[in-house]
Amino acid sequence: MASIRVENIEKTFGKFKALSGVSLEVRDQEFVVLLGPSGCGKTTLLRIIAGLEQADKGRVWIGDRDVTELPPRARKIAMVFQNYAVFPHLTVFENIAFGLRMQKASPEKLKANVERAAALMHIENLLERYPAQLSGGQRQRVAVARALAVEPEVLLMDEPLSNLDALLRLEMRAELKRLLAESRTTTLYVTHDQVEAMSLADRIAVMNAGRVVQYDQPMKVYQEPANTFVGGFIGSPPMNFLRLPVEGRQAKIESLTLDLPTPVSGPEVLLGVRPEDLEAHTVQQPQTFPAEVLVVEPLGPHLLLTLSFGKQHIKATVPPNFEVRAGQTLWLRPQPDRLRWLDPSSGQALMMR
Ligand SMILES: Nc1ncnc2c1ncn2[C@@H]1O[C@H](COP(=O)(O)OP(=O)(O)OP(=O)(O)O)[C@@H](O)[C@H]1O
Ligand SMILES: [Mg+2]
């Protein structure tokens, strides 16, 4: 058993509250991504789980062991740090072998594990070099290889791909996913790249300002964001939020009426809709509303449109061969099964049913 469980973690630096009551469970063999903007507390949470930082309150469990009071080395965790500290006086081989030497692994196992981890990170031809002779991206891969080489039960990774160029990052992402699925290592992985999070995670814990604001499967987080923060942070471009007047159990967009799933007390409601869930037409159709095209951006797989609807701006995507120019009026049909309804004052999704 190597699940990770944190309960009610609080952490304050001086007067600054970095973590406010964070609870989270990573199941045995699960790959969980912590996703959130810079400064939201991701690294702090990882360091508390690793035992490098002491929480003011709360408990940390690895499997069925309460490790809250244990020093880092007794927690049986491997961690890849955001600043990927490698030992400058050791070769790449010895850097990767470091944890295995500490464990007093046999020479055969040591060599085999180092070579396997190095091959995986595409640094097998750099084993004799010293860190000063490597690029930043190569050093980062040494740090990841070192963590993988010890075959930990629990792996904590803090932005392990951040120093790689876009192409290598894409490749490593897929390889890491394959490897960690194969080795069944319980992994908690930090990133602020939402695409990386969607691609890798069994579940994503979205953090904002020291709290976990949503914890769910990637597509669930994408399609059913808990609030405007999550809908805006995940997805590029972000989810649209339109403030609409309410009449009875319906919201109105011009002549289009949309049924609300639940009664709304206030005069207005927020409609959350993804750019790809607005179907565009050049002439008026049933179940559409008009918006004026402000900008057309050809992005390859699709055109990204910015439209104005009254004072509000809307992003929509259309196929690359769609004939459209700025100044034109389009008729947009929101896909009825893809709508998210939120409270305009709190920004929280309305409770359904
Ligand atoms: N040792 C410290 N002393 C004071 N403040 C700290 C300390 N460590 C972290 N903080 C503050 O706590 C907050 C959370 O920091 P943390 O490093 O966990 O953020 P993060 O989510 O990892 O951000 P990033 O994506 O930029 O790495 C930040 O506002 C940071 O300035
Ligand atoms: Mg960080």
Side-chain angles (χ1 to χ4, degrees), residues 301-314:
H302 56 252
L303 304 179
L304 173 61
L305 309 180
T306 307
L307 306 103
S308 73
F309 170 67
K311 282 184 188 143
Q312 312 186 61
H313 282 185
I314 302 174

Side-chain angles (χ1 to χ4, degrees), residues 138-155:
Q138 289 166 336
R139 256 177 256 158
Q140 191 164 39
R141 282 181 279 158
V142 173
V144 175
R146 181 172 61 197
L148 296 176
V150 296
E151 302 175 307
E153 286 196 340
V154 171
L155 185 55

Side-chain angles (χ1 to χ4, degrees), residues 11-14 16-19 36-47 53 82 158-159 190-192 207 210:
K11 180 69 185 177
T12 308
F13 294 110
F16 180 77
K17 191 134 203 192
L19 295 173
S38 186
C40 72
K42 305 179 296 294
T43 297
T44 305
L45 182 59
L46 231 53
R47 288 174 55 82
E53 195 88 65
Q82 191 166 11
D158 199 351
E159 307 251 8
V190 166
T191 181
H192 56 249
M207 287 186 69

